[in-house]
Amino acid sequence: MNPPTDRRSDQELIAAINAGDLSAFDAIYERHRDWVARLAMRFTGNPNDALDVLQETFTYLFGKFPGFLLSAKMTTFLYPVVRNLSIAARKRRLPGLPGEGFDSPGPELALNDDDEFPSMIRNLPEIQREVLLMRFVHDMSIAEIAEALGIPEGTVKSRMHNAIETLKADERLRKYFD
Amino acid sequence: MKRIVPLIFLMLGLLGGSAPEASRINATQPNVRFAAFDVLIDSGKTPLAAYQVKIVAASGDVTLVGIEGSDQPAFATAPYYDKHAILNKQIIIAGYSLAGSLPTGKTRVATLMVQIGSSTKPDWRISLQVAGGADGKQIPATASIVEHSGEIRP
Amino acid sequence: MTDDSENQGSDDFELPQSLRDKLKAAHESPPVPAELSAHLLASAKASYAIRLRRRRMIRWSALVGSAAAIIVLSILLLLPSHSSRQHLAQIGDVNRDGRVDILDAYVVAKAISTGAKLDPAWDVNHDGIVNQKDVDWIGAAAVNVTGNSNGASPQ
C-alpha cells in the first residue's frame, strides 16, 4: 500500500470537502480505509462482512457532506459507526446472535486458532479486551477510547490496567513480559 | 401592518442570499488556507451576560467551517448558531453565561474557523444585535472581529 | 478494584512490542479490492454533487415556499384575530420586547438555574415542562437564518 500522500489534517480535509474539493474524499478514504477494515474484521470475523461494513461506513460518512463538522478525532467518530454496522452485519449473517456486545466467543481472534494466543486474549472480560484492542491494535489514545465508548478516561485506564495485569499473570504469556 | 415590513425584508434577504453553490465543486483548490477569527464584545464596565451578533463575509472567498466557544470561561460553551448556515456567507451567533463572575471590557466570546480560498483578506461585517447584562436587560456594547493572533486575551 | 477508579497512574500503558505485534498479527486487515474503493469513491462523489444540486433546488423551493408562507402570514396578520396574532408573535419572546433573541433564552436559563418561578408560557416546545430544551429552542430561534427549525445548536 502506498503511504498517504495528502498532508492535510482530517479537519482540513473535511473543510475542503465542505467547500467542494472532491480530491479530499480520496485522501480521507485512503487515510482511514485500513483502520476501518481491520476494525470491521475484528467485529465481524468475516472478510466479506468486513468489506460490507467498510463500504457502509464510508457511505455513511461521505453522506454527511456537505455540512459535516467533526468535533472529535476521526477514529473516535468512526469507531461506534463501525461497531454498530458490524452488529447489523452479524445479525444478518447469524440471526440468532445477540445484537449488542461481543461477550460470547465471537468472531474476534478467530484467526490463527491453532495458536493458544487468541484464547488468552479472548478470556479477558469483554470490557477489558475492548480497550486493550482499541489501544494496541487500533492505535487509539486513552482520550479517544473514552470518547468513542462514552466512558470516563479513568474508567478506560482502569480497564486497561486490569487487562494488562491479567495478561501478565498468565503463565502462557510470561515469555512476552520477561 | 408594522409586522409585515420585517417579513418583507426577510423575504428580500432570502432572495439576496441564494448564491449558486454548484460552482463550488472544484477538483483542486489552490491557495486555500485556514484561519481563525475572534468575535469580541466590548461591554465597557458592565458585566456581559449575553450577546447576539450577525456576521457577514462581505467579500473574499471565505467559507465558514466551524465555530468554537471562547477561552474566556464564561463563554467557553460554543454559541448558538444555525448549523444550516455554516456554509453561507452570513450567520448569527449568540450565547449567554450563567457564570457568577461575568467579564467586562473587551471579551472574546467565540472563534470562527474559516477556509479562505484566495490570497485576499476576508472582509467581515459584524453587527451587534443585542447584548445583555446579568439582569437580562439590554446593555450598550460594541462588537468587532479580528484575526486570531493568540495575543488577544479576555 | 472498582471499574471506575480514576487513577491508575500514567496513561502510557505499555505492552511488550512482541506482544503488540502478536495482537496486530491476529487482527489483520482484510485486503480491500481496488475496484471496491474506486466504486465507493465514485459513488460518494456523484452523490455529493447530486446533494449539492438538490440543496440548491430545495433552497429555491424554500424561497418560493417562504414567499407563499409570508403572503399567507401577512394575510393572517391583517385579519382581526387578536388572540392568534399575539400568540404567533409571542412564542419565545419571553421579555415581550417584540422579538426573539438571546436575552429571551437567557431569562429562562437564569430562572431555571436560580430556581425562580417558571412561567408555563415559556414551555415553547410544548412538552409540558420548562427546562433547558426550551432555552435551546429559543436560542435556536434567535439565530435561525435558514428557516430550518432544527438547525441551531450550541455544540
Side-chain angles (χ1 to χ4, degrees):
Chain A
M1 187 206 327
N2 295 326
T5 52
D6 200 315
R7 290 177 172 273
R8 288 176 288 180
S9 69
D10 284 343
Q11 292 286 1
E12 289 171 338
L13 290 170
I14 287 166
I17 296 176
N18 280 330
D21 176 2
L22 297 182
S23 70
F25 276 113
D26 301 74
I28 287 268
Y29 177 76
E30 185 183 2
R31 183 170 299 168
H32 298 287
R33 175 193 57 208
D34 292 341
W35 187 90
V36 169
R38 184 192 294 266
L39 185 61
M41 183 64 202
R42 173 159 80 85
F43 282 147
T44 63
N46 179 289
N48 290 329
D49 284 350
L51 292 181
D52 285 347
V53 170
L54 172 93
Q55 277 187 288
E56 292 170 9
T57 300
F58 281 103
T59 301
Y60 173 78
L61 170 64
F62 292 154
K64 289 189 163 295
F65 291 96
F68 178 56
L69 294 176
L70 186 66
S71 57
K73 293 253 303 184
M74 181 62 92
T75 47
T76 307
F77 170 81
L78 289 175
Y79 190 89
V81 176
V82 175
R83 194 177 198 281
N84 290 332
L85 289 172
S86 297
I87 289 172
R90 284 184 67 192
K91 272 185 177 173
R92 285 196 298 269
R93 178 177 288 273
L94 303 164
L97 281 182
E100 283 294 333
F102 298 87
D103 289 341
S104 57
E108 291 186 20
L109 294 164
L111 305 176
N112 306 328
D113 262 341
D114 56 330
D115 194 330
E116 271 192 299
F117 184 74
S119 67
M120 298 173 206
I121 303 298
R122 191 187 293 154
N123 285 341
L124 284 172
E126 163 63 18
I127 58 173
Q128 293 177 17
R129 182 158 45 104
E130 181 155 32
V131 296
L132 185 85
L133 297 179
M134 289 170 88
R135 177 72 188 91
F136 295 111
V137 172
H138 304 295
D139 301 316
M140 297 172 75
S141 69
I142 297 294
E144 290 166 23
I145 296 169
E147 194 167 355
L149 296 180
I151 58 177
E153 285 189 31
T155 304
V156 176
K157 291 178 185 177
S158 173
R159 291 178 183 179
M160 187 78 74
H161 175 81
N162 292 341
I164 293 174
E165 288 304 307
T166 304
L167 294 180
K168 279 182 181 172
D170 192 321
E171 284 294 329
R172 297 168 298 178
L173 293 173
R174 179 61 53 82
K175 62 183 176 185
Y176 294 103
F177 290 97
D178 285 342
Chain B
M1 191 64 187
K2 280 181 182 173
R3 287 182 184 139
I4 298 174
V5 176
L7 292 176
I8 293 170
F9 276 113
L10 171 68
M11 186 168 67
L12 292 173
L14 286 170
L15 286 167
S18 56
E21 259 182 308
S23 60
R24 284 199 184 136
I25 303 176
N26 304 313
T28 57
Q29 291 210 326
N31 301 322
V32 167
R33 71 183 178 97
F34 292 85
F37 290 85
D38 294 328
V39 178
L40 308 172
I41 305 290
D42 189 348
S43 61
K45 292 179 179 175
T46 310
L48 178 70
Y51 71 92
Q52 181 170 320
V53 295
K54 181 177 183 180
I55 299 163
V56 178
S59 66
D61 184 3
V62 176
T63 304
L64 191 57
V65 294
I67 298 172
E68 294 179 352
S70 165
D71 53 2
Q72 155 63 247
F75 290 98
T77 304
Y80 290 99
Y81 64 94
D82 188 340
K83 279 182 187 172
H84 299 272
I86 196 83
L87 293 177
N88 292 353
K89 298 285 185 196
Q90 64 176 25
I91 196 162
I92 295 172
I93 66 171
Y96 65 81
S97 174
L98 298 173
S101 175
L102 293 170
T104 57
K106 190 173 275 192
T107 302
R108 178 162 52 182
V109 293
T111 299
L112 310 181
M113 319 299 285
V114 299
Q115 177 182 289
I116 302 168
S118 69
S119 57
T120 57
K121 284 193 78 171
D123 180 16
W124 298 104
R125 300 275 187 269
I126 183 167
S127 55
L128 181 72
Q129 296 193 317
V130 72
D135 59 358
K137 305 289 185 195
Q138 192 165 349
I139 59 171
T142 58
S144 57
I145 185 166
V146 297
E147 183 150 13
H148 183 81
S149 65
E151 296 168 2
I152 301 162
R153 288 285 179 271
Chain C
M1 184 181 303
T2 63
D3 184 49
D4 284 326
S5 60
E6 288 292 320
N7 186 7
Q8 293 296 341
S10 164
D11 65 354
D12 187 19
F13 294 95
E14 286 303 329
L15 277 186
Q17 189 59 45
S18 56
L19 191 51
R20 286 178 173 222
D21 294 342
K22 189 87 174 168
L23 271 175
K24 284 213 169 183
H27 293 91
E28 286 288 350
S29 168
V32 180
E35 315 85 70
L36 185 151
S37 297
H39 175 72
L40 193 157
L41 284 166
S43 298
K45 291 172 186 176
S47 300
Y48 177 76
I50 290 168
R51 279 195 301 279
L52 271 185
R53 279 200 297 272
R54 190 175 295 157
R55 179 176 280 207
R56 194 173 43 156
M57 287 177 63
I58 289 172
R59 177 176 288 186
W60 278 105
S61 303
L63 285 175
V64 173
S66 299
I70 287 167
I71 291 167
V72 171
L73 198 56
S74 304
I75 293 169
L76 282 175
L77 288 172
L78 288 173
L79 290 177
S81 170
H82 290 286
S83 59
S84 63
R85 249 193 288 168
Q86 283 184 334
H87 182 64
L88 277 174
Q90 287 175 358
I91 294 175
D93 183 12
V94 172
N95 59 10
R96 297 174 188 273
D97 63 355
R99 64 180 184 178
V100 177
D101 60 28
I102 195 65
L103 294 187
D104 299 302
Y106 175 70
V107 167
V108 180
K110 187 160 189 185
I112 292 171
S113 73
T114 58
K117 187 167 182 252
L118 303 176
D119 186 338
W122 297 347
D123 178 21
V124 290
N125 65 354
H126 307 298
D127 64 355
I129 185 171
V130 176
N131 57 17
Q132 185 63 35
K133 288 180 182 174
D134 298 295
V135 177
D136 292 339
W137 190 100
I138 298 169
V143 299
N144 193 328
V145 294
T146 61
N148 188 313
S149 59
N150 295 320
S153 78
Q155 295 206 337

